[in-house]
Amino acid sequence: PGYAHPLQGLPRPAEPCALWELCEEFLPNLQVDEFLDRRHDLCFCPKCYPKELPDIAMAGGHKFVIPRGWLRLGVEVMQGKAKANRIWDTWNVAFHGLSIPSLRTSFTHGQMLLPGDKLLDNSRLGVRKGHIPARKFFYSSPTVKYCKLHMYATPSTWTSKDGIKYTVQVALQVRQKPGTYSKQRESVFALRELCKHICNTQIEWYTDNRAAVVVTGILVNMARQA
């Protein structure tokens, strides 16, 4: 109750699609079952979300790009916080790429972590290799095309029960409070536009306000290896 995904109401296919079946098989590897709310799963593969449907959706008055080719797992959201802050009505949708091992850490800590934070084991969260040490922010983007870059959504190899190898990537879908984050150009020295719907100068968001970020879903992408 109280949950309102911008694309809620999309019809589910009569039979599970290939991506859905693969994700069901892969799901135990994520080790996040206790944090999921599967009522709010959505699939954006070509079968479940055909090309005739829009590429853009709105949330909190701000556009975001539909994550075509990804499956979204719904997660439990603290409804008291959601209602008190009108998250479903007024907060914006963004995405955050990460590694599979980091996924469970994010959920077990119950909040978004920033570099330098003390973890449950009393260690400190470091800055990922290749990232700027002095920049201690949570980074996101309104398009998963940016978040899926390998320096963000670190690829892993997984073999299905049929013996087929897949490259798997994960990302978080989040809601962010308007006015609590800033926008900047991409920071990967791109030589071309990374997403036709979001210009490179506005594609990266950053914030040090962890209270203004709420995780609402996990995105999973699978690509069959040659």
Side-chain angles (χ1 to χ4, degrees):
Y3 187 93
H5 187 270
L7 300 172
Q8 194 169 20
L10 282 177
R12 291 193 178 189
E15 298 180 359
C17 65
L19 178 57
W20 204 299
E21 291 181 337
L22 278 173
C23 285
E24 289 291 350
E25 183 183 344
F26 175 75
L27 186 55
N29 295 277
L30 296 180
Q31 299 181 345
V32 292
D33 283 3
E34 62 267 48
F35 304 105
L36 299 180
D37 184 347
R38 302 298 303 278
R39 296 174 299 167
H40 303 299
D41 292 358
L42 290 170
C43 184
F44 298 99
C45 77
K47 177 181 178 181
C48 300
Y49 195 84
K51 62 181 181 179
E52 294 78 16
L53 294 177
D55 291 337
I56 298 292
M58 300 293 294
H62 198 290
K63 71 179 182 181
F64 68 96
V65 182
I66 301 298
R68 289 186 179 275
W70 296 67
L71 185 136
R72 175 190 183 278
L73 301 169
V75 304
E76 291 186 349
V77 175
M78 187 185 302
Q79 290 302 323
K81 178 175 181 176
K83 292 177 181 178
N85 293 282
R86 298 183 60 212
I87 286 174
W88 307 125
D89 299 321
T90 63
W91 288 26
N92 306 144
V93 168
F95 307 98
H96 171 78
L98 71 172
S99 68
I100 290 175
S102 298
L103 185 66
R104 180 171 174 80
T105 300
S106 297
F107 281 98
T108 55
H109 284 75
Q111 62 181 348
M112 300 315 303
L113 299 170
L114 303 180
D117 282 350
K118 183 174 283 191
L119 306 181
L120 291 173
D121 63 2
N122 282 323
S123 65
R124 295 281 181 180
L125 179 66
V127 177
R128 290 182 66 179
K129 184 178 180 180
H131 292 240
I132 304 172
R135 302 279 287 176
K136 297 182 179 181
F137 296 107
F138 171 79
Y139 291 92
S140 60
S141 176
T143 173
V144 79
K145 285 183 176 293
Y146 185 64
C147 300
K148 76 173 185 178
L149 296 176
H150 289 185
M151 67 280 294
Y152 303 128
T154 309
S156 296
T157 295
W158 171 71
T159 304
S160 70
K161 62 184 179 183
D162 297 326
I164 300 173
K165 291 185 179 296
Y166 292 87
T167 298
V168 185
Q169 291 178 281
V170 296
L172 297 176
Q173 182 173 340
V174 302
R175 288 282 186 138
Q176 292 187 243
K177 184 177 180 179
T180 64
Y181 60 85
S182 300
K183 301 177 184 179
Q184 65 183 16
R185 71 170 300 109
E186 49 76 26
S187 54
V188 296
F189 306 103
L191 300 177
R192 57 178 177 80
E193 288 295 317
L194 297 169
C195 176
K196 65 180 181 180
H197 301 292
I198 307 290
C199 66
N200 279 10
T201 58
Q202 300 282 306
I203 204 167
E204 188 170 273
W205 297 0
Y206 64 97
T207 183
D208 60 2
N209 189 341
R210 59 171 63 81
V213 181
V214 173
V215 179
T216 61
I218 299 170
L219 296 179
V220 183
N221 179 265
M222 293 194 171
R224 183 169 177 168
Q225 295 183 2

